[in-house]
Amino acid sequence: FQYLKRFDQGCDLDTFWYEALLVEGSPAECLQLFLLHCGIMDPSWAELRNFTWFLNIQLRDCEASVFCNPDFVQDTLNGF
């Protein structure tokens, strides 16, 4: 949710890191963003769960990758 919210606001996600204990927005706002970005017109709860699970793994791996660390890559992979 933190990434999707900032993506919709046009923020630079290259320098953002997930904050585990930070609670943002309401459950309704979270669900609305998931519905907007999941890519399915009328998703089931299972499809929403799969979308959030997959997105979470991808973002966690991205944060753990040295190639996505702006301090390491400098400006060579801007926007990657």
Side-chain angles (χ1 to χ4, degrees):
F1 175 75
Q2 292 176 17
Y3 273 96
L4 290 177
K5 183 176 178 182
R6 283 162 180 77
F7 176 77
D8 277 357
Q9 293 171 345
C11 296
D12 179 17
L13 297 178
D14 290 342
T15 58
F16 175 73
W17 294 94
Y18 168 72
E19 297 179 42
L21 300 177
L22 179 65
V23 177
E24 294 183 14
S26 66
E29 184 182 8
C30 181
L31 180 58
Q32 186 177 30
L33 274 179
F34 289 158
L35 289 170
L36 180 66
H37 290 282
C38 78
I40 300 172
M41 190 62 113
D42 187 20
S44 67
W45 285 111
E47 290 166 328
L48 281 176
R49 185 222 172 263
N50 289 339
F51 167 72
T52 56
W53 174 79
F54 178 76
L55 183 62
N56 186 51
I57 287 176
Q58 295 300 308
L59 292 171
R60 186 178 56 211
D61 289 348
C62 180
E63 285 187 352
S65 172
V66 69
F67 297 107
C68 295
N69 183 337
D71 295 330
F72 176 74
V73 296
Q74 308 282 319
D75 62 354
T76 58
L77 297 173
N78 192 18
F80 176 70

